[in-house]
Amino acid sequence: QKEVEQNSGPLSVPEGAIASLNCTYSDRGSQSFFWYRQYSGKSPELIMFIYSNGDKEDGRFTAQLNKASQYVSLLIRDSQPSDSATYLCAESGGGADGLTFGKGTHLIIQP
Amino acid sequence: GAVVSQHPSWVICKSGTSVKIECRSLDFQATTMFWYRQFPKQSLMLMATSNEGSKATYEQGVEKDKFLINHASLTLSTLTVTSAHPEDSSFYICSARDAGTGRNFGPGTRLTVT
């Protein structure tokens, strides 16, 4: 049974600071990793995905993957109040596989 | 690009009736679509993988006779909740795999069974 672990939070970060979200996964065969943002009552929005070790940057967001440690993280720079949401980490074993989600981290950006 | 739509966005039905939810990929063809369910305060759980032209693959614990999935074309998959009961009330969300590795979600369908 694949597992994706996240700290549920809430994680409180001052506006303008860097928010750091972490995720670990159990299956060494996992290939791709996804970060989604979900506002209350809404469907998840894809922030970015990563499948190679190292960092991947997209605007204010940086995903980091360390397959040896089975660890994925998401950094949000210059945090804004609109970034307040639940952030879901997910993994996939392959292209045709569905995603296994963590329970999400509730992020609060304090103005 | 890679837009996924769902219909209806919300539905209320009586216990014992059946409800059909549609998932469409609007600007791309999706050979594979996925159906998830999310209960309040919980994360998304994969229910089944829908492949165009073949039978769906269900996750362990998901009743295939209760949750009927049809993927008749490259842009449409449907989920029918048969003989719905209050415990089936949930947020049902579909996802479609595009040509890359992206997994885009539809806006979801909130089902309430009374």
Side-chain angles (χ1 to χ4, degrees), chain A residues 5-19:
Chain A
E5 299 286 344
Q6 294 181 259
N7 188 320
S8 61
L11 174 65
S12 186
V13 174
E15 182 177 357
I18 296 175

Side-chain angles (χ1 to χ4, degrees), chain A residues 34 36 38 41-44 46 49 88 92 94-99 101-103, chain B residues 32 34 36 38 43-44 46 49 91 93 97 101-108 110:
Chain A
F34 302 78
Y36 288 87
Q38 186 175 30
K42 301 294 185 181
S43 181
L46 179 64
F49 61 87
L88 301 170
S92 168
D97 289 359
L99 300 181
F101 281 86
K103 293 185 177 180
Chain B
T32 305
F34 306 91
Y36 295 82
Q38 186 177 34
S43 192
L44 281 76
L46 179 66
T49 300
F91 192 36
I93 316 172
R97 178 169 172 258
T101 57
R103 306 291 180 87
N104 300 288
F105 282 86
R110 194 163 300 282

